[in-house]
Amino acid sequence: MKNSIIVLVSGGMDSATLLWLAKKEFEEVYAISFDYGQKHSIELKFAKELAKIANVKEHFIVEIPHLKGIKGSALTDKDIKIPSQSYPNEPPITTVPMRNLNFLSIAASFSDIYEIQNIGIGIHSVDSPYPDCRAEFASSVESAINASSIMVAKKKNRIQVYTPFLGMTKTDVLKIGLELGVPYEKTYSCYKGTVPPCEECATCQQRQEAFEALGLKDPLL
Ligand SMILES: [Zn+2]
């Protein structure tokens, strides 16, 4: 079996960096993106372009209809505004219930059939207000995936939830990405989904802070 990975690609700068890191670290790279009713579904256009530039073996785009229908998250509920500040509450109102659990479960279905040994997710310390971005979550999901995998049962190997950015800041991630030559002008992070990005929402602010910390200007702006 080849050393392979399927990377969760949102179109944002963290997952783009992970995709470029995966290209360096793994022989065979797949990408997967999700249409879950996010207000900023424009990010999927960026995800497609990134997957194309990265020349992945295959890019899967999966719709998650039940997440589209669930209310209560500012990311998907038209009646709740995206806050124009960084995470005033914890967990933030932009938390989509069990989003990463859904994403990793679906990615694990692909990994099981395509025999992909690694599932990459670009979570880091700045994401930690989101319960499904924490180390405990990632290791628990990895255990569940291995316990339910056909491939693992047959071949006695393991599936790894690959989280190289855990414990890092967004600035650390950006530093890695700049060395890898990630085309950040082709990434998109704004939760409001506007063009140009709103520069006010939490993800816009965090993105700006990361570039500023390195004395750089965001090439998307
Ligand atoms: Zn924004």
Side-chain angles (χ1 to χ4, degrees), residues 1 29 46 51 74 76 84 87 102 104 135 184 214 220:
M1 266 195 304
V29 179
F46 288 81
T76 51
S84 291
Y87 305 144
N102 277 272
L104 288 173
Y184 286 112
L214 298 180
L220 189 64

Side-chain angles (χ1 to χ4, degrees), residues 198-219:
C198 79
E199 298 187 52
E200 287 180 337
C201 72
T203 48
C204 276
Q205 284 185 30
Q206 289 161 3
R207 181 178 168 120
Q208 217 166 321
E209 280 164 19
F211 278 99
E212 278 172 8
L214 298 180
L216 299 170
K217 195 182 171 330
D218 183 346

Side-chain angles (χ1 to χ4, degrees), residues 132-205:
D132 61 352
C133 290
R134 295 173 185 163
E136 185 198 350
F137 164 76
S139 60
S140 306
V141 175
E142 185 179 282
S143 301
I145 287 171
N146 280 282
S148 58
S149 164
I150 304 166
M151 176 171 71
V152 170
K154 274 188 188 168
K155 304 198 171 182
K156 312 290 179 211
N157 58 359
R158 267 191 82 74
I159 296 173
Q160 184 193 11
V161 174
Y162 181 68
T163 54
F165 303 152
L166 261 184
M168 291 189 190
T169 65
K170 207 173 181 76
T171 308
D172 297 330
V173 174
L174 177 59
K175 257 188 225 166
I176 293 171
L178 290 169
E179 277 173 22
L180 293 167
V182 177
Y184 286 112
E185 72 282 3
K186 296 191 184 300
T187 64
Y188 182 90
S189 310
C190 179
Y191 275 165
K192 292 191 183 174
T194 57
V195 178
C198 79
E199 298 187 52
E200 287 180 337
C201 72
T203 48
C204 276
Q205 284 185 30

Side-chain angles (χ1 to χ4, degrees), residues 93-146:
I93 190 69
T94 42
T95 307
V96 176
M98 308 289 162
R99 182 175 66 171
N100 285 342
L101 184 57
N102 277 272
F103 287 2
L104 288 173
S105 299
I106 293 168
S109 296
F110 283 89
S111 83
D112 227 13
I113 294 303
Y114 287 75
E115 299 194 339
I116 303 165
Q117 300 91 19
N118 297 275
I119 304 169
I121 180 167
I123 50 179
H124 53 68
S125 66
V126 179
D127 293 328
S128 64
Y130 292 100
D132 61 352
C133 290
R134 295 173 185 163
E136 185 198 350
F137 164 76
S139 60
S140 306
V141 175
E142 185 179 282
S143 301
I145 287 171
N146 280 282

